[in-house]
Structure formats: C-alpha cells, structure tokens
Amino acid sequence: MLRHPAAGSVFVLGLIIGALAAPARAQTDDTASQAPAHIAVVDGVAVLERDGRADPAPVNVPLLAGDRVRTERGRLEILFADGSALDLDQYTSLDIESDTLLRLLDGRLRLTLEGSEADGALSLRVDTPGGSVDIRSGGEYRISLTGDGGPQQVELKVVRGTANLATEQGTVGVGAGQRAVARAGAPPSYPYAYNSAVWDAFDSWSDTQRNTRLGVASNAYLPDDLQAYGGTFDRYGQWRTDPSYGSVWYPNVAVGWRPYYNGQWSYVGPFGWTWVGYDAWSWPTHHYGRWGYSAGAWFWIPGRRWGAAWVSWLWASDYVAWCPLGFGGGPLFGVNLFFRAGHAYDPHYGPHYGWTVLPTRYFGHRGHAVSVYAVSDRTLDHSVRQRFSARAAPPAPRGAETRRVAPINRAGARRG
C-alpha cells in the first residue's frame, strides 16, 4: 500500500476495509472485453433515456440494453472496449437493444468496427423504418434515414467492410466503396459505386474524434485495451517513472483536485455504484488501474481490469466517505487518518489526504457534483466520526435491485 510519509502506520480497521473494498458487482474477468460501452463524447445537446428518465448530461455513463440515446443540436460518440466507435449526428435517435441489435429511428450514424474485413466473423444488425443493415465484418459504415414527410428511406454506405441491406422484399450485399438504398415495401436498390472521399460536416466531425483518439507518446505505456485513449493521455498529462510502479501518468489538474471528486456517483444496475467522471480522461483512469500520491501530486497507474470504481467506503447515516484503493487492496491512505480530526481531505484548504466526505442527501443524485457538495473534514466532530463504519459499498437505492439489465459490452457478436 502506498502511503504518504506522514501517514503513520495503517491500523487493523484499515486492513478490514481493504478486505471489503471492491467495485460493487464488478466484472471478474481480467479482459477488457467485459467492460461496458460508454458515451465518450457529447458535443452539444444529447439525452440518454433509461427507465423512463432522461439524463441531459450522459458523458462517461455505461450503456445498458434498452437505452435510448438522442441528439438534438449536438453530436455524440460511443466507445467500446475493443476500440470500436459509434458516432451519432445531430437530431438522431438510437435504441441500443443488445450487443448485436441497434434501432435507428431517425437521423444518421457512422460505425467504425474493429476486426477483420475479410473473415466475416462479426454480426451486428441495425434496424430502421426503411430496412435492416446486417454488418458482417469489421470496417467503416455510414447509415442514414431520410424522408421529407413521406416513407423513410435508409441509405447504407460502406467505406470498408461488407454488409447486407434488406427489406421484406429482398436482400442485397454492399461492399467497400458502394452504397445502396431501401424503403419498406420495396426491394433494396442494387449497390453502386460512390465517392467515399466526399465528406460533409458530420463526416469531418467523426474524423476529428478518430484523430483525437490517436496517441503517440502514451501508446507505449498503455495496455492494448486502452490504446483508444492514447490521444487523451497525451493531451492532458505527462508520463514519469515511479520506482515502485514503473511508468505512471500525472494529470494536469487544478489545486485541490483528487480522484473520484470531479464527477458524481450513479447506481447502474449490473455494476452497483459507478463513478461518472467529468474529466475528459475520467473513464480510463477511474475504471482501470489505481491511483498513487507522492510529493503532493496524484498519479495514475495503468491496469487492465475494468471496475465500476476502485475505492474503499465508509458509511454513516448522514455521510458517505471514500478513498481510492491502492494496488495492495486497501485504501491508499489508512482509515486511521480519517478518524483523526483534521486529516481527511479538506476541499477548502488543500489535499491533505485522500478521503472524500459527502452528505448522504447529495450522494447518487443527478446534478449533485461531488466537488460542489463535499464537506470539510474539519466540520465533523468526534461523535460524527464514530458513527462511520466500513462497507463494501453504500446501500443501493430503493428498488434498484429489481431491474437487472445486461450491459452493452461489444459492438456486434463474434461468430465462433
């Protein structure tokens, strides 16, 4: 366990918390293929609909089967653990039914799917009012709906890869550099060549997101599963060598920042309490690896296993407290520091240590950013501190366990 030089010994209670500390119902497979897809970029106005509720700020939220994503005057990008990307244009509505089925109800999208273009090992269907697109291989695909008040027509453009465009009246195969159109009640058109180098504003936006993901320096330090975030790491921090952990990443942050602070907690059925960060690099750094602290600065240690959040919890009826986990399995800073008055993290006087304290009434509610509502440990008297106890995680919201929905992990299933 990494400790600040002033931390002192870690008490037995800290070891107990370390044994309890783990992401609630986190994935147990060490491969990032089990990590859920998430909304990585929101540019403008977009909404995530889930369980009859609308979230107007859905960035860094894991996706579940049955989610609907809508854009208005904005665009959105979804990333998958294998590096595949799904971009939505303005005024687009998409239902995400499963790993293998999407429903495009309005607008248009671009799919960049990882995998071989020749082995035909992938299966992903995109249903639309005008027809269905069955994607058979990795590649790049553009799917659009047009209507002008009449029956909607679907257009499929294939930049690379292969796909079928189908209606109840027939099916046609579409290859690289080809396009075809279809509408309900009629067979699809024959495929014909188109100029894939002619782009509009949406194509340019999608290409910008792709270029943003491309890293240079960071790719040498990141696991294969996190290569899609190389460009983000390049822009927002620096890599240095730590004698205990090797190559670690220091983010460029303001004074007072610390992990699991600039964001909020959300209860996501398959995973339990899940961190939804506001920083551009929150997804890889708060769901993979661990954090360390040295000489007054936080640094991130790369890892391959995904988790909803890697923290140790303390709970009281009126407060919740948490601390990032170290690779030793327990809280990065011993829990004795929390119970010692004046030694938890104080958002008003600087980052003394790593425990964050939040009133329960602000925990897990949309729009209640931790950085706004966290309290100074100096406001907690001895009697309040004694009410805290170690928990594997805070209690779930009422009724949260009644809906068990599968996460969206992949962009299409791989045929065995």
Side-chain angles (χ1 to χ4, degrees), residues 2 5 68 92 124 127 129 131 134 179 185 188 195 199 202 219 236 256 279 284 290 345 367 376 394-395 411 415:
L2 182 68
R68 172 173 290 180
T92 295
L124 174 64
D127 287 345
D134 183 16
R179 67 184 288 263
N195 186 349
W199 286 0
F202 177 46
N219 286 355
Y236 292 101
D279 295 308
R290 297 291 191 277
Y345 183 89
S376 168
R415 295 190 180 95

Short mmCIF file of all heavy atoms in Angstrom, two decimals, residues 2 5 68 92 124 127 129 131 134 179 185 188 195 199 202 219 236 256 279 284 290 345 367 376 394-395 411 415:
data_model
loop_
_atom_site.label_atom_id
_atom_site.label_comp_id
_atom_site.label_asym_id
_atom_site.label_seq_id
_atom_site.Cartn_x
_atom_site.Cartn_y
_atom_site.Cartn_z
N LEU A 2 0.63 2.18 -0.89
CA LEU A 2 1.38 3.42 -0.94
C LEU A 2 0.86 4.35 0.14
O LEU A 2 -0.33 4.54 0.30
CB LEU A 2 1.21 4.07 -2.31
CG LEU A 2 1.98 5.38 -2.51
CD1 LEU A 2 3.47 5.10 -2.54
CD2 LEU A 2 1.54 6.05 -3.80
N PRO A 5 4.34 10.02 3.54
CA PRO A 5 5.31 9.90 4.61
C PRO A 5 4.75 10.24 5.97
O PRO A 5 5.21 9.71 6.99
CB PRO A 5 6.41 10.90 4.20
CG PRO A 5 6.31 10.98 2.71
CD PRO A 5 4.85 10.81 2.42
N ARG A 68 -32.00 4.38 -24.78
CA ARG A 68 -32.19 5.19 -25.98
C ARG A 68 -31.31 6.43 -25.87
O ARG A 68 -31.30 7.11 -24.85
CB ARG A 68 -33.65 5.61 -26.15
CG ARG A 68 -33.87 6.62 -27.30
CD ARG A 68 -35.35 6.88 -27.55
NE ARG A 68 -36.00 5.70 -28.13
CZ ARG A 68 -37.29 5.65 -28.46
NH1 ARG A 68 -38.07 6.71 -28.26
NH2 ARG A 68 -37.81 4.54 -28.97
N THR A 92 -30.57 12.75 -34.09
CA THR A 92 -30.57 11.30 -34.29
C THR A 92 -31.13 10.63 -33.06
O THR A 92 -30.87 11.06 -31.93
CB THR A 92 -29.15 10.80 -34.58
OG1 THR A 92 -28.70 11.35 -35.82
CG2 THR A 92 -29.09 9.29 -34.66
N LEU A 124 -23.73 -7.75 -36.55
CA LEU A 124 -24.40 -6.61 -35.94
C LEU A 124 -25.51 -6.15 -36.88
O LEU A 124 -25.26 -5.89 -38.05
CB LEU A 124 -23.42 -5.47 -35.68
CG LEU A 124 -24.03 -4.17 -35.16
CD1 LEU A 124 -24.66 -4.38 -33.78
CD2 LEU A 124 -22.98 -3.06 -35.09
N ASP A 127 -31.57 -2.05 -37.35
CA ASP A 127 -32.92 -1.95 -37.91
C ASP A 127 -33.31 -0.49 -38.04
O ASP A 127 -33.01 0.34 -37.17
CB ASP A 127 -33.93 -2.66 -37.01
CG ASP A 127 -33.82 -4.18 -37.08
OD1 ASP A 127 -33.19 -4.69 -38.03
OD2 ASP A 127 -34.39 -4.85 -36.19
N PRO A 129 -36.75 2.11 -39.96
CA PRO A 129 -38.08 2.03 -40.59
C PRO A 129 -38.02 1.71 -42.08
O PRO A 129 -38.99 1.19 -42.65
CB PRO A 129 -38.66 3.43 -40.36
CG PRO A 129 -37.95 3.94 -39.15
CD PRO A 129 -36.57 3.39 -39.25
N GLY A 131 -35.60 -0.35 -43.56
CA GLY A 131 -34.97 -1.63 -43.82
C GLY A 131 -33.91 -1.92 -42.77
O GLY A 131 -33.69 -1.12 -41.85
N ASP A 134 -27.33 -5.51 -42.04
CA ASP A 134 -26.66 -6.61 -41.36
C ASP A 134 -25.18 -6.53 -41.67
O ASP A 134 -24.74 -6.78 -42.79
CB ASP A 134 -27.23 -7.95 -41.84
CG ASP A 134 -26.62 -9.14 -41.09
OD1 ASP A 134 -26.01 -8.91 -40.03
OD2 ASP A 134 -26.75 -10.28 -41.59
N ARG A 179 -22.73 1.94 -52.21
CA ARG A 179 -23.88 2.39 -51.44
C ARG A 179 -25.13 1.76 -52.03
O ARG A 179 -25.17 1.35 -53.20
CB ARG A 179 -24.02 3.92 -51.46
CG ARG A 179 -24.35 4.51 -52.81
CD ARG A 179 -24.37 6.03 -52.78
NE ARG A 179 -25.51 6.57 -52.08
CZ ARG A 179 -26.62 6.99 -52.68
NH1 ARG A 179 -26.76 6.90 -54.01
NH2 ARG A 179 -27.61 7.50 -51.98
N GLY A 185 -41.53 -2.09 -48.05
CA GLY A 185 -42.46 -2.46 -49.10
C GLY A 185 -41.86 -2.58 -50.48
O GLY A 185 -42.57 -2.84 -51.45
N PRO A 188 -34.49 -3.58 -51.95
CA PRO A 188 -33.42 -2.57 -51.94
C PRO A 188 -32.83 -2.38 -53.33
O PRO A 188 -32.94 -3.26 -54.20
CB PRO A 188 -32.40 -3.18 -50.97
CG PRO A 188 -32.68 -4.64 -50.96
CD PRO A 188 -34.14 -4.79 -51.20
N ASN A 195 -18.35 8.09 -54.19
CA ASN A 195 -17.07 8.69 -53.84
C ASN A 195 -16.96 8.81 -52.32
O ASN A 195 -17.53 9.72 -51.72
CB ASN A 195 -16.92 10.05 -54.50
CG ASN A 195 -15.54 10.65 -54.30
OD1 ASN A 195 -14.75 10.17 -53.50
ND2 ASN A 195 -15.26 11.73 -55.02
N TRP A 199 -16.98 14.34 -48.09
CA TRP A 199 -17.43 14.42 -46.71
C TRP A 199 -18.30 15.64 -46.48
O TRP A 199 -18.16 16.65 -47.16
CB TRP A 199 -16.23 14.52 -45.75
CG TRP A 199 -15.47 13.24 -45.57
CD1 TRP A 199 -15.72 12.03 -46.15
CD2 TRP A 199 -14.33 13.06 -44.74
NE1 TRP A 199 -14.82 11.11 -45.74
CE2 TRP A 199 -13.94 11.71 -44.86
CE3 TRP A 199 -13.59 13.89 -43.91
CZ2 TRP A 199 -12.85 11.18 -44.18
CZ3 TRP A 199 -12.51 13.37 -43.24
CH2 TRP A 199 -12.15 12.04 -43.37
N PHE A 202 -20.72 16.22 -40.66
CA PHE A 202 -20.75 15.09 -39.74
C PHE A 202 -19.55 14.17 -39.98
O PHE A 202 -18.91 13.70 -39.03
CB PHE A 202 -22.06 14.32 -39.90
CG PHE A 202 -22.15 13.09 -39.04
CD1 PHE A 202 -21.81 13.11 -37.71
CD2 PHE A 202 -22.61 11.88 -39.60
CE1 PHE A 202 -21.90 11.96 -36.92
CE2 PHE A 202 -22.71 10.74 -38.82
CZ PHE A 202 -22.35 10.78 -37.48
N ASN A 219 0.84 5.63 -26.09
CA ASN A 219 0.61 4.26 -26.53
C ASN A 219 1.69 3.30 -26.06
O ASN A 219 1.46 2.11 -25.94
CB ASN A 219 0.51 4.22 -28.06
CG ASN A 219 -0.81 4.78 -28.56
OD1 ASN A 219 -1.67 5.12 -27.76
ND2 ASN A 219 -0.96 4.89 -29.86
N TYR A 236 -3.57 15.60 -21.86
CA TYR A 236 -3.97 16.05 -20.53
C TYR A 236 -3.00 15.69 -19.41
O TYR A 236 -3.33 15.86 -18.23
CB TYR A 236 -5.35 15.50 -20.18
CG TYR A 236 -6.45 16.10 -21.03
CD1 TYR A 236 -6.99 15.39 -22.11
CD2 TYR A 236 -6.95 17.37 -20.77
CE1 TYR A 236 -8.00 15.93 -22.88
CE2 TYR A 236 -7.96 17.92 -21.54
CZ TYR A 236 -8.48 17.20 -22.60
OH TYR A 236 -9.47 17.74 -23.37
N GLY A 256 -6.28 21.20 -5.51
CA GLY A 256 -7.46 20.70 -4.83
C GLY A 256 -8.11 19.52 -5.49
O GLY A 256 -9.00 18.90 -4.91
N ASP A 279 -14.05 14.73 -16.09
CA ASP A 279 -12.82 15.00 -16.82
C ASP A 279 -12.79 14.18 -18.10
O ASP A 279 -13.34 13.07 -18.17
CB ASP A 279 -11.59 14.64 -15.97
CG ASP A 279 -11.48 15.53 -14.74
OD1 ASP A 279 -11.52 16.76 -14.89
OD2 ASP A 279 -11.36 14.97 -13.63
N PRO A 284 -10.91 5.96 -18.49
CA PRO A 284 -9.82 5.01 -18.29
C PRO A 284 -9.17 5.09 -16.92
O PRO A 284 -8.78 4.06 -16.34
CB PRO A 284 -8.82 5.36 -19.40
CG PRO A 284 -9.12 6.77 -19.76
CD PRO A 284 -10.59 6.93 -19.56
N ARG A 290 -5.05 1.96 -10.81
CA ARG A 290 -5.14 2.53 -9.46
C ARG A 290 -4.50 3.91 -9.45
O ARG A 290 -3.83 4.31 -10.40
CB ARG A 290 -4.40 1.65 -8.44
CG ARG A 290 -4.96 0.24 -8.28
CD ARG A 290 -6.32 0.25 -7.61
NE ARG A 290 -6.70 -1.11 -7.25
CZ ARG A 290 -7.25 -1.98 -8.07
NH1 ARG A 290 -7.49 -1.62 -9.32
NH2 ARG A 290 -7.56 -3.20 -7.68
N TYR A 345 -9.50 14.69 3.59
CA TYR A 345 -9.35 15.71 2.54
C TYR A 345 -10.23 16.91 2.85
O TYR A 345 -11.42 16.77 3.14
CB TYR A 345 -9.72 15.13 1.18
CG TYR A 345 -9.50 16.14 0.08
CD1 TYR A 345 -8.28 16.23 -0.55
CD2 TYR A 345 -10.50 17.03 -0.27
CE1 TYR A 345 -8.05 17.17 -1.53
CE2 TYR A 345 -10.28 17.98 -1.24
CZ TYR A 345 -9.05 18.04 -1.87
OH TYR A 345 -8.84 18.99 -2.83
N GLY A 367 -26.91 15.63 -11.04
CA GLY A 367 -26.66 17.05 -10.91
C GLY A 367 -25.96 17.45 -9.63
O GLY A 367 -25.60 18.62 -9.47
N SER A 376 -15.82 19.75 4.36
CA SER A 376 -14.53 19.73 5.03
C SER A 376 -14.58 18.77 6.20
O SER A 376 -15.54 18.75 6.97
CB SER A 376 -14.17 21.13 5.52
OG SER A 376 -13.07 21.07 6.40
N PRO A 394 -22.02 1.65 -0.31
CA PRO A 394 -23.22 2.22 0.31
C PRO A 394 -24.47 1.46 -0.13
O PRO A 394 -24.47 0.75 -1.14
CB PRO A 394 -23.24 3.66 -0.23
CG PRO A 394 -21.83 3.94 -0.63
CD PRO A 394 -21.29 2.63 -1.12
N PRO A 395 -25.54 1.58 0.62
CA PRO A 395 -26.78 0.89 0.25
C PRO A 395 -27.27 1.29 -1.13
O PRO A 395 -27.10 2.43 -1.57
CB PRO A 395 -27.77 1.34 1.34
CG PRO A 395 -26.91 1.76 2.49
CD PRO A 395 -25.67 2.33 1.88
N ALA A 411 -19.50 -4.18 -29.82
CA ALA A 411 -20.22 -3.71 -30.99
C ALA A 411 -20.36 -4.89 -31.94
O ALA A 411 -19.57 -5.08 -32.84
CB ALA A 411 -19.45 -2.57 -31.65
N ARG A 415 -18.70 -14.43 -34.34
CA ARG A 415 -19.11 -15.79 -34.62
C ARG A 415 -17.99 -16.76 -34.28
O ARG A 415 -16.83 -16.53 -34.59
CB ARG A 415 -19.48 -15.94 -36.10
CG ARG A 415 -20.69 -15.11 -36.52
CD ARG A 415 -21.14 -15.50 -37.91
NE ARG A 415 -22.29 -14.72 -38.33
CZ ARG A 415 -22.21 -13.62 -39.05
NH1 ARG A 415 -21.04 -13.16 -39.44
NH2 ARG A 415 -23.31 -12.98 -39.40
#
